[in-house]
Amino acid sequence: MSAVALSLTGITKRYRNTTVLGPLSLELEKGRIYGLIGENGAGKSTLIRIIMGLSKQTDGDIELFGRSGEGDLTLARANVGYVPDSSASYPLLSAYDNLKARCLEWGIDQNQIPRLLDTVGLAQVGTKKARSFSLGMRRRLDLAVALLGEPRMLVLDEPTNGLDPLGTMEMRNLIKRLNADRDITVIISSHNLAELNRIADEYLVLSAGSLIARLSSSDVRGDSPNDLEDLYASIVLKGQIGTPRKPGGHYAR
């Protein structure tokens, strides 16, 4: 069985005569955590929308868990859980009923709801309305929704944005545990590079719609959580933009 979870070949997105992404090619391995980083307008959101099928690429091919073509990709995307950059929970519903509503919408077994609430640390407040939750609790509820159906991949857009230090730590530990226990491939788009440096195995650096670097955790040397920020600055701000780098500090050809 292939170790590749996601393969993108020549992915391009254009709006009229403006190219906002690509051409971009990459492969992501199963069971790893990837940090997707770049300035505003770098193409991160566009790439996520294409992966999730929320936007159609202009050119290029996608293969997800060995499936390609529109019909097969629709089936494959059922194995991908998505947490958007702002909470998508229903504020007037309880945590339990938020999950139940999604189960009914997607035709998913409701028996998993208690287990998922326990997984994200909301079992004790499952009957409380989401509007009473802290931001950190709402983000964990969003993650529980993304985990419905036992996905093989998670795509998380700014999962710690706005969280206090404790909420950030809880989310970080939860993501790492899910990755370790379930071998889930995780893609995290975030501006919080210090936090990504604590969790990701590999980093994909986008700028102006192009993949300009691909770094492994071993490329980010040192013990400071700011090491990734420093390396990112050296690549982007100082103009050290070559062809995308492979893990280990080598440039991809």
Side-chain angles (χ1 to χ4, degrees):
M1 183 177 294
S2 173
V4 176
L6 174 67
S7 176
L8 305 178
T9 305
I11 294 295
T12 302
K13 182 66 177 182
R14 288 190 294 271
Y15 294 102
R16 296 187 178 181
N17 296 323
T18 302
T19 299
V20 297
L21 183 70
L24 184 152
S25 298
L26 61 85
E27 287 187 348
L28 303 186
E29 295 179 13
K30 295 177 182 176
R32 293 177 65 80
I33 300 177
Y34 294 90
L36 183 61
I37 59 180
E39 72 276 11
N40 289 333
K44 302 187 302 298
S45 295
T46 300
L47 178 58
I48 285 175
R49 289 180 60 81
I50 289 173
I51 292 172
M52 295 305 305
L54 301 174
S55 180
K56 175 70 175 175
Q57 71 270 24
T58 306
D59 296 301
D61 299 309
I62 302 174
E63 186 175 293
L64 183 61
F65 303 120
R67 293 177 177 267
S68 59
E70 287 195 20
D72 280 350
L73 279 175
T74 298
L75 294 174
R77 285 182 174 119
N79 289 299
V80 182
Y82 175 50
V83 174
D85 61 353
S86 58
S87 180
S89 60
Y90 299 114
L92 297 181
L93 294 183
S94 68
Y96 185 97
D97 285 342
N98 262 277
L99 294 178
K100 181 179 178 180
R102 297 300 186 183
C103 286
L104 292 172
E105 179 182 355
W106 299 334
I108 295 175
D109 183 9
Q110 298 178 35
N111 290 328
Q112 63 191 292
I113 294 177
R115 174 172 50 82
L116 288 178
L117 288 174
D118 183 63
T119 296
V120 301
L122 296 177
Q124 301 302 315
V125 293
T127 60
K128 292 188 176 181
K129 292 182 179 180
R131 69 178 180 183
S132 69
F133 287 179
S134 67
L135 178 57
M137 294 168 71
R138 291 200 302 273
R139 295 305 275 164
R140 282 185 278 137
L141 178 56
D142 291 332
L143 184 55
V145 171
L147 289 170
L148 286 168
E150 300 186 351
R152 299 161 62 188
M153 177 184 288
L154 288 173
V155 178
L156 313 178
D157 195 352
E158 298 286 356
T160 61
N161 189 34
L163 300 189
D164 60 26
L166 180 59
T168 298
M169 182 179 67
E170 289 173 340
M171 180 62 74
R172 178 203 316 143
N173 291 339
L174 180 54
I175 293 169
K176 292 175 72 172
R177 188 170 73 248
L178 288 167
N179 170 255
D181 293 349
R182 305 189 186 190
D183 201 33
I184 294 178
T185 305
V186 184
I187 302 172
I188 305 173
S189 175
S190 180
H191 289 296
N192 189 342
L193 303 192
E195 180 59 27
L196 274 183
N197 198 17
R198 298 175 182 268
I199 187 172
D201 300 309
E202 200 167 327
Y203 311 93
L204 309 172
V205 184
L206 294 182
S207 183
S210 296
L211 177 65
I212 63 170
R214 182 168 180 169
L215 309 168
S216 73
S217 55
S218 63
D219 290 320
V220 188
R221 296 179 174 85
D223 299 321
S224 170
N226 295 322
D227 288 332
L228 180 58
E229 293 180 352
D230 295 339
L231 184 54
Y232 171 75
S234 73
I235 293 170
V236 177
L237 300 182
K238 294 182 181 180
Q240 296 178 5
I241 301 176
T243 50
R245 291 178 61 183
K246 291 180 179 178
H250 301 292
Y251 285 91
R253 298 298 181 188

